[in-house]
Amino acid sequence: MSRSTLPTSTRRPTHHHRPSRAPIPTKRLLVAAGILVFLIALRFATADAAPIPIAAARDAITLAISVIIESLPFVFLGIGLSIAVQLWVPTRVILRILPKNAFGRRVVLSFLGVLLPVCECGNLPLARGLMSRGLTVSDSVTFLLAAPILNPVTIITTYQAFGWSDGILVSRIAGGFVIANLVGWMISRHPNPTNLLTPDFAASCRHDQAALHGRRSRGREAVELFSRETTSMLPALFIGAAIAGTIQAAASREFLVALGGNPVWSVIALMALAFVISICSNVDAFFALSLGSTFSPGALIAFLVFGPMIDIKMLAMMRTTFTTRALVTLTSVVALGALVLGLGVNFFA
Amino acid sequence: MLDRTLTRWLGILLSAFGVVATLWLAATGQLTLYIHPRYVVFTTVMAAIGGLLVIGAVVLTFRGSRKTGREGATAALDSIDDHVGHDLAGHDHDHNPRSPLRRRLSAAGGVVLVVAAAIALLALPPASLSTGALTAGELDTTSSTTLDDAPNLVGGDSANFNVKDWAALLRQGLTAGDLAGMNADTIGFVAPDPAGDPDLFYLARYSITCCAVDAQPIAIPVESTRWADTVKEGEWVRVAGSFRDSTAAGATTVLGATSIEAIEEPTEPYVF
């Protein structure tokens, strides 16, 4: 598939030659190398600079950087997988192996995370890649919501943290699966699911599906996809991390912890905490464990189901793809699902 | 012009910031200021791969734009611009044409983001979370299961125990009698007693389960007459002594300090 959004007038002359034999413009490359050297030099030069004197501001930055450094590898991994899916897996293969029946297709896609164990920040580029390969919005959202929970890394870390106690592991897996498929089903009932996408992303999907393979080298395609996905994802990740770090530094966790014992409020409090701290689904179980005896099991389950699907960082990133209205609805449904699950466990389990 | 350059290079530039910052932290052994040690290898490897992708993107972009000539380069930029340019604006709007104002705003936002990210990731010195007063709720370890999986430490080589090990022992309900003969010699920062007892402070460290975002304080009570005369709140100290029953009301087990000295912040301030 080529980025063939080029106007037809320019496409003809530009694609007869493989670009790979072209010489590299030395001057521009020197500029790029110069920038890289400058960045590295800047880092070494400022290593011992005076820290910011205001503790709260310094902590907010430290927390934001920790979110970025923790998430960035997963974003790269997700973009890498997304590029691989878009360039090396033909659409017909994807569409052939999936069941024709919409319900069955969403069920299968819920478990795609088993093969592609990326956490939520890596899933979004992948879901975008799947949509631009022609998968429907409802199918992709089902994958996007289910995969961070239904993947081996998350399941293993949750098991390590909790074992079988309180049914936390089982409720997390079942809850994630049910909520993801519920949301997918709701979107499939939408008269025009494409309206849930930002106009720009929808347009880029149309381009991609209309595009033909083989016009340009795969390497060049991959690099353009990398530029495009990082330009979409990283600003959102950085802004989301900054917001999460600021809130975390400004607001005391004390207040939330004080609500811990109450069967209703503890569920809401931990969902709020999951929303704010935006930690990665692959590791959030360890964090939940540290809250273990303060909070009710239902609250922990709500934390472990809601957090991977929706948090500040994810909303910032999802906004590149979905409209605000779609995200508000999505967040409400997922929050409601997690709340019902948490309360159900507290009152009936 | 500016917004076009930005949409072409923003992702690559921000990736480069993240890669340089991560690899530099890894090379200088400071990644654990931000993430748990178990992710250090994964993070370093992925950052290196990201770095290769960034370099590849730069080289291939230049090579492509040279070969196809000026017209081709412009077209290629248009293509990227169509795909991602609008994402930056972050608004729903009619597809084309973009209003000049919106283009300028989105370009300005991009520039601010690049500058802020460069400062935060590359120009500010790496910092650990600030130390200082902790609230009674934060100091209450009775409910924390962070300490649950502590191995059986009694009778171990207590010289190497950190604050977390001692806190785990105290939480198991061990008394001064159980801990007799085990001398503590460990570091942490000073958190005053929330109740205001001038002869009691908490020796604290942050414990991290995933990354600095989830840091939780772990502390042990230290008894030392008028400690504020020697050390300050938030200061890193090395405390030696042995455990005994508190002289104050309430039969809690405290560390009776025989020596307290101020130290530099350790290179690894957190416990894991």
Side-chain angles (χ1 to χ4, degrees), chain A residues 254-291:
Chain A
E254 192 92 335
F255 170 69
L256 293 175
V257 173
L259 303 170
N262 183 299
V264 177
W265 284 109
S266 64
V267 177
I268 295 169
L270 270 202
M271 283 171 61
L273 187 64
F275 186 76
V276 169
I277 66 169
S278 307
I279 67 176
C280 180
S281 71
N282 287 347
V283 294
D284 59 358
F286 293 114
F287 179 66
L289 179 64
S290 69
L291 301 168

mmCIF file of all heavy atoms in Angstrom, chain A residues 254-291:
data_model
loop_
_atom_site.group_PDB
_atom_site.id
_atom_site.type_symbol
_atom_site.label_atom_id
_atom_site.label_comp_id
_atom_site.label_asym_id
_atom_site.label_seq_id
_atom_site.Cartn_x
_atom_site.Cartn_y
_atom_site.Cartn_z
ATOM 1 N N GLU A 254 -3.903 10.800 49.340
ATOM 2 C CA GLU A 254 -4.483 10.595 50.656
ATOM 3 C C GLU A 254 -6.009 10.519 50.618
ATOM 4 O O GLU A 254 -6.628 9.632 51.181
ATOM 5 C CB GLU A 254 -4.085 11.793 51.512
ATOM 6 C CG GLU A 254 -4.345 11.627 52.960
ATOM 7 C CD GLU A 254 -3.102 11.068 53.606
ATOM 8 O OE1 GLU A 254 -2.312 10.423 52.920
ATOM 9 O OE2 GLU A 254 -2.931 11.281 54.786
ATOM 10 N N PHE A 255 -6.578 11.496 49.903
ATOM 11 C CA PHE A 255 -8.015 11.625 49.839
ATOM 12 C C PHE A 255 -8.641 10.361 49.261
ATOM 13 O O PHE A 255 -9.611 9.826 49.789
ATOM 14 C CB PHE A 255 -8.361 12.843 48.988
ATOM 15 C CG PHE A 255 -9.807 12.953 48.653
ATOM 16 C CD1 PHE A 255 -10.738 13.252 49.639
ATOM 17 C CD2 PHE A 255 -10.244 12.758 47.356
ATOM 18 C CE1 PHE A 255 -12.078 13.347 49.328
ATOM 19 C CE2 PHE A 255 -11.581 12.852 47.041
ATOM 20 C CZ PHE A 255 -12.495 13.147 48.019
ATOM 21 N N LEU A 256 -8.036 9.877 48.159
ATOM 22 C CA LEU A 256 -8.573 8.678 47.533
ATOM 23 C C LEU A 256 -8.422 7.479 48.455
ATOM 24 O O LEU A 256 -9.319 6.653 48.588
ATOM 25 C CB LEU A 256 -7.842 8.422 46.212
ATOM 26 C CG LEU A 256 -8.094 9.448 45.115
ATOM 27 C CD1 LEU A 256 -7.229 9.150 43.907
ATOM 28 C CD2 LEU A 256 -9.557 9.448 44.719
ATOM 29 N N VAL A 257 -7.251 7.402 49.111
ATOM 30 C CA VAL A 257 -6.995 6.253 49.974
ATOM 31 C C VAL A 257 -7.960 6.235 51.152
ATOM 32 O O VAL A 257 -8.386 5.180 51.620
ATOM 33 C CB VAL A 257 -5.523 6.264 50.448
ATOM 34 C CG1 VAL A 257 -5.282 5.172 51.475
ATOM 35 C CG2 VAL A 257 -4.595 6.078 49.260
ATOM 36 N N ALA A 258 -8.360 7.434 51.608
ATOM 37 C CA ALA A 258 -9.279 7.518 52.736
ATOM 38 C C ALA A 258 -10.619 6.863 52.409
ATOM 39 O O ALA A 258 -11.347 6.429 53.297
ATOM 40 C CB ALA A 258 -9.485 8.972 53.130
ATOM 41 N N LEU A 259 -10.934 6.797 51.113
ATOM 42 C CA LEU A 259 -12.210 6.216 50.707
ATOM 43 C C LEU A 259 -12.134 4.692 50.578
ATOM 44 O O LEU A 259 -13.124 4.029 50.298
ATOM 45 C CB LEU A 259 -12.637 6.795 49.361
ATOM 46 C CG LEU A 259 -12.777 8.313 49.284
ATOM 47 C CD1 LEU A 259 -12.963 8.743 47.840
ATOM 48 C CD2 LEU A 259 -13.959 8.778 50.124
ATOM 49 N N GLY A 260 -10.911 4.180 50.795
ATOM 50 C CA GLY A 260 -10.618 2.791 50.451
ATOM 51 C C GLY A 260 -11.548 1.717 50.980
ATOM 52 O O GLY A 260 -11.839 0.761 50.283
ATOM 53 N N GLY A 261 -12.040 1.857 52.209
ATOM 54 C CA GLY A 261 -12.795 0.767 52.793
ATOM 55 C C GLY A 261 -14.233 0.692 52.338
ATOM 56 O O GLY A 261 -14.846 -0.366 52.346
ATOM 57 N N ASN A 262 -14.785 1.808 51.932
ATOM 58 C CA ASN A 262 -16.197 1.840 51.552
ATOM 59 C C ASN A 262 -16.441 1.042 50.271
ATOM 60 O O ASN A 262 -15.756 1.258 49.276
ATOM 61 C CB ASN A 262 -16.599 3.306 51.358
ATOM 62 C CG ASN A 262 -18.056 3.467 51.036
ATOM 63 O OD1 ASN A 262 -18.531 2.952 50.030
ATOM 64 N ND2 ASN A 262 -18.759 4.171 51.887
ATOM 65 N N PRO A 263 -17.428 0.117 50.284
ATOM 66 C CA PRO A 263 -17.608 -0.749 49.112
ATOM 67 C C PRO A 263 -17.994 0.010 47.847
ATOM 68 O O PRO A 263 -17.702 -0.459 46.742
ATOM 69 C CB PRO A 263 -18.713 -1.717 49.536
ATOM 70 C CG PRO A 263 -19.357 -1.100 50.719
ATOM 71 C CD PRO A 263 -18.325 -0.233 51.376
ATOM 72 N N VAL A 264 -18.666 1.149 47.982
ATOM 73 C CA VAL A 264 -19.055 1.904 46.790
ATOM 74 C C VAL A 264 -17.968 2.924 46.428
ATOM 75 O O VAL A 264 -17.455 2.939 45.305
ATOM 76 C CB VAL A 264 -20.395 2.641 47.014
ATOM 77 C CG1 VAL A 264 -20.732 3.483 45.797
ATOM 78 C CG2 VAL A 264 -21.492 1.633 47.289
ATOM 79 N N TRP A 265 -17.597 3.730 47.410
ATOM 80 C CA TRP A 265 -16.650 4.810 47.112
ATOM 81 C C TRP A 265 -15.279 4.292 46.735
ATOM 82 O O TRP A 265 -14.554 4.906 45.965
ATOM 83 C CB TRP A 265 -16.546 5.778 48.291
ATOM 84 C CG TRP A 265 -17.731 6.667 48.369
ATOM 85 C CD1 TRP A 265 -18.717 6.627 49.300
ATOM 86 C CD2 TRP A 265 -18.091 7.699 47.449
ATOM 87 N NE1 TRP A 265 -19.675 7.572 49.021
ATOM 88 C CE2 TRP A 265 -19.311 8.243 47.894
ATOM 89 C CE3 TRP A 265 -17.502 8.204 46.285
ATOM 90 C CZ2 TRP A 265 -19.953 9.281 47.219
ATOM 91 C CZ3 TRP A 265 -18.130 9.241 45.616
ATOM 92 C CH2 TRP A 265 -19.339 9.769 46.081
ATOM 93 N N SER A 266 -14.892 3.145 47.306
ATOM 94 C CA SER A 266 -13.562 2.635 46.982
ATOM 95 C C SER A 266 -13.466 2.305 45.495
ATOM 96 O O SER A 266 -12.433 2.516 44.875
ATOM 97 C CB SER A 266 -13.254 1.396 47.823
ATOM 98 O OG SER A 266 -14.134 0.350 47.499
ATOM 99 N N VAL A 267 -14.566 1.792 44.930
ATOM 100 C CA VAL A 267 -14.556 1.461 43.500
ATOM 101 C C VAL A 267 -14.365 2.732 42.682
ATOM 102 O O VAL A 267 -13.522 2.813 41.783
ATOM 103 C CB VAL A 267 -15.866 0.748 43.099
ATOM 104 C CG1 VAL A 267 -15.895 0.476 41.613
ATOM 105 C CG2 VAL A 267 -16.024 -0.547 43.881
ATOM 106 N N ILE A 268 -15.135 3.767 43.027
ATOM 107 C CA ILE A 268 -15.046 5.030 42.287
ATOM 108 C C ILE A 268 -13.666 5.662 42.470
ATOM 109 O O ILE A 268 -13.060 6.156 41.520
ATOM 110 C CB ILE A 268 -16.169 5.979 42.750
ATOM 111 C CG1 ILE A 268 -17.520 5.361 42.368
ATOM 112 C CG2 ILE A 268 -16.015 7.366 42.152
ATOM 113 C CD1 ILE A 268 -18.709 6.036 42.975
ATOM 114 N N ALA A 269 -13.149 5.588 43.709
ATOM 115 C CA ALA A 269 -11.858 6.209 43.989
ATOM 116 C C ALA A 269 -10.737 5.557 43.179
ATOM 117 O O ALA A 269 -9.894 6.242 42.595
ATOM 118 C CB ALA A 269 -11.540 6.114 45.480
ATOM 119 N N LEU A 270 -10.744 4.242 43.116
ATOM 120 C CA LEU A 270 -9.659 3.587 42.371
ATOM 121 C C LEU A 270 -9.807 3.776 40.874
ATOM 122 O O LEU A 270 -8.812 3.826 40.151
ATOM 123 C CB LEU A 270 -9.590 2.095 42.710
ATOM 124 C CG LEU A 270 -8.697 1.722 43.894
ATOM 125 C CD1 LEU A 270 -8.271 0.265 43.804
ATOM 126 C CD2 LEU A 270 -7.470 2.610 43.982
ATOM 127 N N MET A 271 -11.044 3.901 40.394
ATOM 128 C CA MET A 271 -11.208 4.199 38.971
ATOM 129 C C MET A 271 -10.643 5.583 38.676
ATOM 130 O O MET A 271 -9.984 5.802 37.650
ATOM 131 C CB MET A 271 -12.681 4.092 38.558
ATOM 132 C CG MET A 271 -13.135 2.644 38.408
ATOM 133 S SD MET A 271 -14.920 2.489 38.179
ATOM 134 C CE MET A 271 -15.139 3.413 36.669
ATOM 135 N N ALA A 272 -10.899 6.528 39.587
ATOM 136 C CA ALA A 272 -10.346 7.874 39.400
ATOM 137 C C ALA A 272 -8.816 7.824 39.425
ATOM 138 O O ALA A 272 -8.142 8.471 38.616
ATOM 139 C CB ALA A 272 -10.855 8.812 40.493
ATOM 140 N N LEU A 273 -8.287 7.024 40.335
ATOM 141 C CA LEU A 273 -6.827 6.907 40.420
ATOM 142 C C LEU A 273 -6.260 6.302 39.132
ATOM 143 O O LEU A 273 -5.262 6.792 38.588
ATOM 144 C CB LEU A 273 -6.455 6.039 41.624
ATOM 145 C CG LEU A 273 -4.972 5.957 41.948
ATOM 146 C CD1 LEU A 273 -4.452 7.327 42.343
ATOM 147 C CD2 LEU A 273 -4.725 4.970 43.080
ATOM 148 N N ALA A 274 -6.913 5.254 38.624
ATOM 149 C CA ALA A 274 -6.457 4.626 37.384
ATOM 150 C C ALA A 274 -6.460 5.642 36.251
ATOM 151 O O ALA A 274 -5.557 5.686 35.424
ATOM 152 C CB ALA A 274 -7.354 3.443 37.024
ATOM 153 N N PHE A 275 -7.508 6.475 36.238
ATOM 154 C CA PHE A 275 -7.641 7.486 35.189
ATOM 155 C C PHE A 275 -6.480 8.469 35.246
ATOM 156 O O PHE A 275 -5.917 8.850 34.231
ATOM 157 C CB PHE A 275 -8.972 8.215 35.376
ATOM 158 C CG PHE A 275 -9.287 9.181 34.278
ATOM 159 C CD1 PHE A 275 -9.735 8.727 33.045
ATOM 160 C CD2 PHE A 275 -9.160 10.541 34.474
ATOM 161 C CE1 PHE A 275 -10.028 9.612 32.027
ATOM 162 C CE2 PHE A 275 -9.450 11.436 33.466
ATOM 163 C CZ PHE A 275 -9.891 10.966 32.235
ATOM 164 N N VAL A 276 -6.103 8.857 36.463
ATOM 165 C CA VAL A 276 -5.082 9.887 36.613
ATOM 166 C C VAL A 276 -3.673 9.346 36.381
ATOM 167 O O VAL A 276 -2.888 9.940 35.644
ATOM 168 C CB VAL A 276 -5.167 10.534 38.010
ATOM 169 C CG1 VAL A 276 -3.953 11.416 38.263
ATOM 170 C CG2 VAL A 276 -6.441 11.352 38.122
ATOM 171 N N ILE A 277 -3.338 8.216 37.006
ATOM 172 C CA ILE A 277 -1.915 7.856 36.958
ATOM 173 C C ILE A 277 -1.504 7.224 35.643
ATOM 174 O O ILE A 277 -0.328 7.182 35.329
ATOM 175 C CB ILE A 277 -1.468 6.966 38.132
ATOM 176 C CG1 ILE A 277 -2.137 5.613 38.061
ATOM 177 C CG2 ILE A 277 -1.710 7.633 39.456
ATOM 178 C CD1 ILE A 277 -1.510 4.657 39.050
ATOM 179 N N SER A 278 -2.459 6.732 34.854
ATOM 180 C CA SER A 278 -2.140 6.303 33.482
ATOM 181 C C SER A 278 -0.993 5.303 33.412
ATOM 182 O O SER A 278 -0.101 5.443 32.572
ATOM 183 C CB SER A 278 -1.778 7.515 32.610
ATOM 184 O OG SER A 278 -2.770 8.495 32.673
ATOM 185 N N ILE A 279 -0.937 4.318 34.314
ATOM 186 C CA ILE A 279 0.161 3.373 34.161
ATOM 187 C C ILE A 279 -0.232 2.245 33.224
ATOM 188 O O ILE A 279 -1.393 2.031 32.920
ATOM 189 C CB ILE A 279 0.744 2.826 35.482
ATOM 190 C CG1 ILE A 279 -0.236 1.944 36.221
ATOM 191 C CG2 ILE A 279 1.249 3.936 36.355
ATOM 192 C CD1 ILE A 279 0.378 1.343 37.474
ATOM 193 N N CYS A 280 0.794 1.559 32.782
ATOM 194 C CA CYS A 280 0.667 0.611 31.690
ATOM 195 C C CYS A 280 0.001 -0.674 32.161
ATOM 196 O O CYS A 280 0.259 -1.147 33.264
ATOM 197 C CB CYS A 280 2.087 0.357 31.231
ATOM 198 S SG CYS A 280 2.237 -0.768 29.922
ATOM 199 N N SER A 281 -0.863 -1.262 31.329
ATOM 200 C CA SER A 281 -1.623 -2.439 31.753
ATOM 201 C C SER A 281 -0.725 -3.641 32.044
ATOM 202 O O SER A 281 -1.079 -4.510 32.820
ATOM 203 C CB SER A 281 -2.633 -2.828 30.680
ATOM 204 O OG SER A 281 -1.962 -3.369 29.564
ATOM 205 N N ASN A 282 0.445 -3.666 31.419
ATOM 206 C CA ASN A 282 1.315 -4.818 31.636
ATOM 207 C C ASN A 282 1.830 -4.887 33.067
ATOM 208 O O ASN A 282 2.299 -5.921 33.516
ATOM 209 C CB ASN A 282 2.514 -4.769 30.680
ATOM 210 C CG ASN A 282 2.103 -5.102 29.267
ATOM 211 O OD1 ASN A 282 1.009 -5.592 29.034
ATOM 212 N ND2 ASN A 282 2.966 -4.826 28.324
ATOM 213 N N VAL A 283 1.791 -3.779 33.765
ATOM 214 C CA VAL A 283 2.431 -3.745 35.079
ATOM 215 C C VAL A 283 1.516 -3.214 36.176
ATOM 216 O O VAL A 283 1.909 -3.178 37.334
ATOM 217 C CB VAL A 283 3.688 -2.850 35.030
ATOM 218 C CG1 VAL A 283 4.738 -3.479 34.135
ATOM 219 C CG2 VAL A 283 3.359 -1.463 34.560
ATOM 220 N N ASP A 284 0.291 -2.797 35.797
ATOM 221 C CA ASP A 284 -0.541 -2.138 36.801
ATOM 222 C C ASP A 284 -0.938 -3.063 37.944
ATOM 223 O O ASP A 284 -1.290 -2.600 39.021
ATOM 224 C CB ASP A 284 -1.772 -1.485 36.163
ATOM 225 C CG ASP A 284 -2.632 -2.482 35.424
ATOM 226 O OD1 ASP A 284 -2.255 -3.670 35.369
ATOM 227 O OD2 ASP A 284 -3.673 -2.082 34.893
ATOM 228 N N ALA A 285 -0.853 -4.388 37.705
ATOM 229 C CA ALA A 285 -1.232 -5.317 38.770
ATOM 230 C C ALA A 285 -0.336 -5.161 39.997
ATOM 231 O O ALA A 285 -0.796 -5.242 41.129
ATOM 232 C CB ALA A 285 -1.186 -6.758 38.256
ATOM 233 N N PHE A 286 0.959 -4.925 39.758
ATOM 234 C CA PHE A 286 1.868 -4.758 40.891
ATOM 235 C C PHE A 286 1.482 -3.527 41.709
ATOM 236 O O PHE A 286 1.554 -3.526 42.931
ATOM 237 C CB PHE A 286 3.316 -4.626 40.417
ATOM 238 C CG PHE A 286 3.841 -5.874 39.796
ATOM 239 C CD1 PHE A 286 4.159 -5.913 38.460
ATOM 240 C CD2 PHE A 286 3.996 -7.024 40.560
ATOM 241 C CE1 PHE A 286 4.637 -7.066 37.884
ATOM 242 C CE2 PHE A 286 4.476 -8.187 39.984
ATOM 243 C CZ PHE A 286 4.795 -8.209 38.638
ATOM 244 N N PHE A 287 1.083 -2.503 40.979
ATOM 245 C CA PHE A 287 0.667 -1.292 41.682
ATOM 246 C C PHE A 287 -0.621 -1.543 42.465
ATOM 247 O O PHE A 287 -0.739 -1.156 43.629
ATOM 248 C CB PHE A 287 0.471 -0.153 40.690
ATOM 249 C CG PHE A 287 0.030 1.116 41.343
ATOM 250 C CD1 PHE A 287 0.876 1.777 42.217
ATOM 251 C CD2 PHE A 287 -1.231 1.623 41.126
ATOM 252 C CE1 PHE A 287 0.481 2.932 42.847
ATOM 253 C CE2 PHE A 287 -1.637 2.787 41.753
ATOM 254 C CZ PHE A 287 -0.782 3.443 42.608
ATOM 255 N N ALA A 288 -1.556 -2.235 41.826
ATOM 256 C CA ALA A 288 -2.812 -2.543 42.507
ATOM 257 C C ALA A 288 -2.546 -3.378 43.756
ATOM 258 O O ALA A 288 -3.176 -3.194 44.797
ATOM 259 C CB ALA A 288 -3.757 -3.279 41.559
ATOM 260 N N LEU A 289 -1.556 -4.266 43.650
ATOM 261 C CA LEU A 289 -1.219 -5.105 44.791
ATOM 262 C C LEU A 289 -0.820 -4.258 45.989
ATOM 263 O O LEU A 289 -1.184 -4.543 47.132
ATOM 264 C CB LEU A 289 -0.073 -6.052 44.408
ATOM 265 C CG LEU A 289 0.415 -6.989 45.511
ATOM 266 C CD1 LEU A 289 -0.696 -7.952 45.894
ATOM 267 C CD2 LEU A 289 1.638 -7.757 45.065
ATOM 268 N N SER A 290 -0.075 -3.187 45.728
ATOM 269 C CA SER A 290 0.389 -2.354 46.829
ATOM 270 C C SER A 290 -0.782 -1.630 47.497
ATOM 271 O O SER A 290 -0.661 -1.141 48.602
ATOM 272 C CB SER A 290 1.436 -1.357 46.336
ATOM 273 O OG SER A 290 0.829 -0.399 45.505
ATOM 274 N N LEU A 291 -1.928 -1.565 46.797
ATOM 275 C CA LEU A 291 -3.115 -0.955 47.396
ATOM 276 C C LEU A 291 -4.011 -2.023 48.012
ATOM 277 O O LEU A 291 -5.065 -1.729 48.569
ATOM 278 C CB LEU A 291 -3.918 -0.210 46.326
ATOM 279 C CG LEU A 291 -3.198 0.904 45.584
ATOM 280 C CD1 LEU A 291 -4.026 1.336 44.381
ATOM 281 C CD2 LEU A 291 -2.958 2.078 46.493
#
